[in-house]
Amino acid sequence: MSESMHWADRIAQLVKERVEKDKLLQAVVKEKGYICYDEKTPSGNIHVGSGRGWVIFDCVAKALRKIGLKGRFILSSDDMDPFDKPSKELGEEWNKYLGMPFRDMPSPQKGYKNYADYYFSRVTEKFPEWGIEAELQSTGERYIDGSFNPQIKKILDNADKVKQIYMDLYGEDTPAAKKLPFNVKCPQCGKIATTIATEWNKEKEEIYFECKENVVKFAQGCGHKGWISPYNGNGKFPWKVEWPAKWPMMGVVYEIAGKDHFTKGGARTIANKIAVDVLGYPPPVPSDGYKTGKGYEFFTVGGAKMSTSKGTGMSFRGISEYAPAKMLRYLIVKSRVHAVLDFDPYNDNDLLLLYDRYDKTEKDYFEGKDELQKRVYELSHVGKIPTSCPPHIPLNTAAFTIQIALFDVDKALDILKGLDMVDKEASKEDIEAIKERLEFARRWVKDFASDQYKFEVATKVSEDVKKSLSEKQKEALTLLKVKLSAKDYGQKELYEEFYKIKEETNVEIKDFFEAAYLIIINKKRGPKLAGFILSLGKEKVIDLLNQAV
Ligand SMILES: [Zn+2]
């Protein structure tokens, strides 16, 4: 495989080769397509880190489709998992549900089927913004509709083998060795975390369980016990067994996860052992037989401000307040799966650089320069790829323009047209792209840009500023006033004029700029001066100069 191949294409190629070598998988893909599968427990607000996985799955499914295979990304909500930690967000009154499956709890807000549906929807509602195409499922429904039944029978028939796998990895004392690998949902109290199953009647296909007080610390069972069928939603596997059970049930050929699941002796190690030794199904790429392969690296939203203001870290839903989803998607697509990603929106450079790089990649795409960059753009662009390269307004330029326009996007657009930064004949598509950037610049300046990108145009020059000006600075500003009054300048011409003023008055150029910014925005630094003066309108600037000198 070529080194210049994008990682998603490389993975797709690997999956294709794996299937070609395996008769069982050939039959699976013929029936179901190439399933790239991920799952998430809808226990509360879902961390932004999971978003990296979803973009990876989406890209691999798309890369499979590009080589003519039926790539599908399926994301399942693990809604049979138990509520096992009090919710800080919802408060104590929800503690009565501890131990119950998320799908059996009410929704915290109207309009959703249940608790699981609410939290799962909060992330998947954002998928179109991220360009993630996924088929959504409920793991609980797969239990209820019997899809898991063949795996349940196989696992319980081979429970000793499963227990042995646990003991080999975690020692003879592991609690998993003292019970069956299946959690019954108590038909009396509805809790699934409080039961323990100890016997399996192979002939009757029933399981013996007790709902006890001390199975877990966070919830108490009701004391109910008896025999019950394990099928059709009466219970679920513990998740380390559920993971491999899903592979043959769904026909999974690709499933990566965060690297914490891929540690030696971790969840993927067990899952692969169970898949190979008990279920007779080849673990999906990036695994190969017992070998786990590597998980994806973490995606964190860093920064001191972020962690203090948000406590536990940024949610997937919340992050697109701080950077457009398509920019974050781009960040993930262009980075190797095994590279650490940290994004800090409070760090101006992170954000400005992200925009610059995106623009550069977009330009490269339309110039057709670099195959890899072209592919990065194809995989990261959200929605239909434009017919020609959109105009690129750097984020800091957008930010100062929106401030001059007093946060009015249409006015800002006119200013950009006046500065010839936007073609007066620009297409509707181009205008939309610029407006989107101005909108984001507005949010950035208002909510989290650092002070150096913020300013307010003065209406009156303060006495302090007047007093602070040196004779040379005054002389230079006077000359600027004369020149501005005498004629209309273009941006470049005005910039050159600043250096003529320096020559004529012998002022240090740094002192000249500083004086001009002090007069206009009462700060020593600001946006590029020539464009700034022209976008404000020279009359406004002449008025301020009149007050000062
Ligand atoms: Zn019970």
Side-chain angles (χ1 to χ4, degrees):
M1 268 177 265
S2 154
E3 272 301 305
S4 65
M5 233 177 170
H6 188 266
W7 54 257
D9 296 317
R10 213 176 295 183
I11 294 169
Q13 197 59 39
L14 202 65
V15 170
K16 181 175 179 251
E17 284 163 17
R18 172 73 56 80
V19 172
E20 277 166 359
K21 275 191 286 190
D22 192 307
K23 280 229 164 68
L24 188 148
L25 291 181
Q26 279 169 30
V28 166
V29 298
K30 204 170 164 198
E31 189 198 332
K32 306 187 178 201
Y34 287 66
I35 308 268
C36 308
Y37 183 92
D38 192 24
E39 61 265 277
K40 196 70 212 165
T41 303
S43 53
N45 287 315
I46 293 171
H47 188 259
V48 65
S50 300
R52 182 172 197 175
W54 299 328
V55 171
I56 293 171
F57 280 104
D58 180 55
C59 286
V60 172
K62 282 174 176 156
L64 283 163
R65 295 202 286 273
K66 199 179 179 224
I67 52 174
L69 305 173
K70 197 182 168 201
R72 295 168 65 189
F73 168 30
I74 295 178
L75 175 64
S76 193
S77 166
D78 279 349
D79 52 0
M80 278 281 271
D81 289 2
F83 182 40
D84 62 358
K85 248 199 322 245
S87 161
K88 275 188 204 143
E89 189 190 341
L90 301 174
E92 273 179 21
E93 70 216 78
W94 285 75
N95 291 359
K96 62 181 177 225
Y97 300 116
L98 283 165
M100 282 175 62
F102 290 115
R103 61 179 286 118
D104 294 344
M105 294 163 60
S107 167
Q109 264 187 36
K110 273 193 192 145
Y112 299 89
K113 276 186 277 183
N114 52 51
Y115 183 101
D117 181 42
Y118 171 69
Y119 282 110
F120 193 60
S121 301
R122 282 185 58 85
V123 296
T124 55
E125 281 164 4
K126 287 271 173 185
F127 278 11
E129 219 177 280
W130 282 74
I132 298 170
E133 292 169 53
E135 299 170 48
L136 306 177
Q137 272 195 4
S138 141
T139 307
E141 273 163 31
R142 296 285 84 77
Y143 278 107
I144 292 166
D145 71 15
S147 302
F148 273 112
N149 290 356
Q151 276 71 43
I152 294 173
K153 179 163 169 49
K154 224 173 197 176
I155 290 285
L156 290 173
D157 283 350
N158 292 283
D160 287 341
K161 258 192 196 173
V162 175
K163 286 181 191 174
Q164 194 58 50
I165 290 171
Y166 270 96
M167 286 192 284
D168 290 346
L169 283 163
Y170 302 136
E172 306 281 319
D173 293 337
T174 176
K178 295 181 186 66
K179 56 177 185 174
L180 290 170
F182 193 81
N183 302 330
V184 170
K185 179 168 106 178
C186 175
Q188 187 159 290
C189 70
K191 290 176 186 166
I192 197 166
T194 51
T195 64
I196 192 153
T198 44
E199 276 182 77
W200 166 237
N201 185 324
K202 213 173 158 175
E203 282 69 43
K204 283 191 177 161
E205 300 190 29
E206 283 186 344
I207 193 167
Y208 181 78
F209 78 99
E210 288 183 37
C211 182
K212 292 166 90 168
E213 266 183 20
N214 56 355
V215 176
V216 287
K217 288 209 176 82
F218 55 85
Q220 280 195 342
C222 67
H224 188 66
K225 54 187 155 188
W227 289 89
I228 195 170
S229 159
Y231 302 141
N232 302 93
N234 285 350
K236 76 183 283 291
F237 293 118
W239 88 267
K240 282 178 184 166
V241 181
E242 186 176 272
W243 200 4
K246 283 168 171 170
W247 297 337
M249 188 267 288
M250 291 302 303
V252 180
V253 292
Y254 177 69
E255 184 171 1
I256 195 170
K259 67 166 187 179
D260 45 330
H261 293 315
F262 282 73
T263 49
K264 211 172 164 217
R268 187 68 166 227
T269 310
I270 293 209
N272 288 6
K273 285 273 278 174
I274 293 174
V276 175
D277 294 354
V278 182
L279 301 169
Y281 189 88
V285 173
S287 298
D288 187 0
Y290 294 143
K291 278 185 279 176
T292 59
K294 275 165 89 179
Y296 60 81
E297 260 292 347
F298 295 129
F299 177 35
T300 52
V301 173
K305 263 193 182 164
M306 213 76 199
S307 40
T308 47
S309 65
K310 298 288 164 190
T312 48
M314 180 50 61
S315 72
F316 174 75
R317 191 181 170 88
I319 184 63
S320 45
E321 298 289 313
Y322 293 89
K326 80 167 184 189
M327 291 290 166
L328 296 165
R329 181 181 172 104
Y330 165 73
L331 184 64
I332 296 167
V333 169
K334 82 178 178 66
S335 311
R336 285 178 308 112
V337 170
H338 305 301
V340 180
L341 270 188
D342 181 67
F343 173 70
D344 178 4
Y346 282 100
N347 178 338
D348 300 319
N349 284 336
D350 269 22
L351 205 55
L352 293 168
L353 207 64
L354 183 59
Y355 268 80
D356 283 352
R357 291 204 170 137
Y358 184 87
D359 289 350
K360 167 114 188 17
T361 304
E362 190 162 58
K363 193 162 163 265
D364 285 353
Y365 174 85
F366 285 99
E367 286 174 0
K369 264 189 200 154
D370 176 338
E371 281 309 309
L372 183 60
Q373 287 306 307
K374 255 186 100 169
R375 191 70 179 126
V376 168
Y377 181 72
E378 268 172 10
L379 286 169
S380 43
H381 187 79
V382 176
K384 215 174 133 256
I385 289 181
T387 43
S388 60
C389 190
H392 293 141
I393 310 294
L395 182 61
N396 50 357
T397 307
F400 93 69
T401 313
I402 196 79
Q403 291 177 88
I404 295 170
L406 302 175
F407 299 101
D408 181 320
V409 170
D410 290 319
K411 233 184 245 166
L413 191 63
D414 287 339
I415 293 173
L416 291 171
K417 282 181 183 166
L419 290 174
D420 287 330
M421 294 191 73
V422 176
D423 194 340
K424 290 185 181 64
E425 312 286 291
S427 69
K428 218 176 140 202
E429 211 176 32
D430 288 353
I431 296 292
E432 282 312 308
I434 295 162
K435 278 190 167 179
E436 186 189 298
R437 190 156 295 193
L438 288 166
E439 286 288 355
F440 179 71
R442 168 163 70 181
R443 196 182 305 158
W444 182 52
V445 170
K446 285 202 159 169
D447 294 348
F448 57 102
S450 70
D451 285 342
Q452 63 165 308
Y453 295 98
K454 294 183 202 170
F455 60 80
E456 218 173 301
V457 179
T459 47
K460 210 169 162 277
V461 181
S462 77
E463 289 306 316
D464 287 347
V465 166
K466 284 183 201 167
K467 272 184 217 151
S468 74
L469 296 174
S470 71
E471 284 311 311
K472 267 199 185 143
Q473 282 176 315
K474 283 183 190 165
E475 209 185 314
L477 291 179
T478 308
L479 193 52
L480 175 64
K481 188 171 74 178
V482 172
K483 285 178 190 270
L484 282 176
S485 309
K487 66 174 274 203
D488 287 333
Y489 287 92
Q491 198 174 178
K492 189 165 167 277
E493 205 187 347
L494 181 58
Y495 177 75
E496 283 161 5
E497 208 64 52
F498 298 154
Y499 286 84
K500 287 184 192 154
I501 293 174
K502 169 189 155 27
E503 295 298 315
E504 288 167 43
T505 60
N506 222 1
V507 71
E508 291 288 334
I509 195 75
K510 180 178 153 284
D511 293 342
F512 168 72
F513 281 119
E514 211 172 277
Y517 290 126
L518 278 170
I519 300 295
I520 304 170
I521 52 175
N522 201 9
K523 284 174 82 168
K524 287 184 174 176
R525 265 184 281 272
K528 283 180 187 151
L529 191 59
F532 191 34
I533 290 175
L534 295 178
S535 25
L536 281 171
K538 67 173 188 174
E539 289 72 24
K540 169 94 198 158
V541 178
I542 292 169
D543 172 45
L544 292 168
L545 288 167
N546 270 329
Q547 293 180 38
V549 291

